[in-house]
Amino acid sequence: ISNQTSKDVGKFLGQQFSFVISLCDRQQERTCPIFPGAIWRQTWPMEDPAAAQSQGERRALVRRLRDHIQEKVSEFANQH
């Protein structure tokens, strides 16, 4: 995932999606995107690596999140 970057969700607005999974916690962050018309929505709240105090903490958190997301995606794929 080292070459991945955040993407502006604006380019996806207006498109139809069967599944939308957001990684932010709508209760904590009011800037979480909304995708009207999505048939199925789920939220997987994750810690924000930007909140880490040091580069080392950020790197460790990103790795933990990477592994957690991989597990969640595998579970999701097996269920759907």
Side-chain angles (χ1 to χ4, degrees):
I1 64 171
S2 60
N3 294 323
Q4 299 300 312
T5 60
S6 297
K7 294 166 186 68
D8 179 4
V9 298
K11 67 182 178 181
F12 302 110
L13 296 176
Q15 296 182 33
Q16 290 280 325
F17 294 96
S18 297
F19 299 97
V20 171
I21 300 170
S22 61
L23 302 181
C24 61
D25 184 352
R26 188 161 263 325
Q27 301 301 323
Q28 299 287 328
E29 303 175 50
R30 296 295 177 201
T31 59
C32 293
I34 297 173
F35 288 89
I39 296 170
W40 185 88
R41 293 184 191 103
Q42 189 167 1
T43 301
W44 299 345
M46 304 277 169
E47 294 178 68
D48 184 358
Q53 298 297 316
S54 70
Q55 184 67 23
E57 286 180 19
R58 189 173 306 123
R59 186 176 298 119
L61 178 55
V62 167
R63 288 178 178 153
R64 283 195 311 272
L65 292 173
R66 173 201 61 203
D67 295 344
H68 185 62
I69 291 169
Q70 183 178 19
E71 290 172 15
K72 296 287 282 180
V73 168
S74 293
E75 289 172 14
F76 177 81
N78 288 331
Q79 293 173 358
H80 300 279

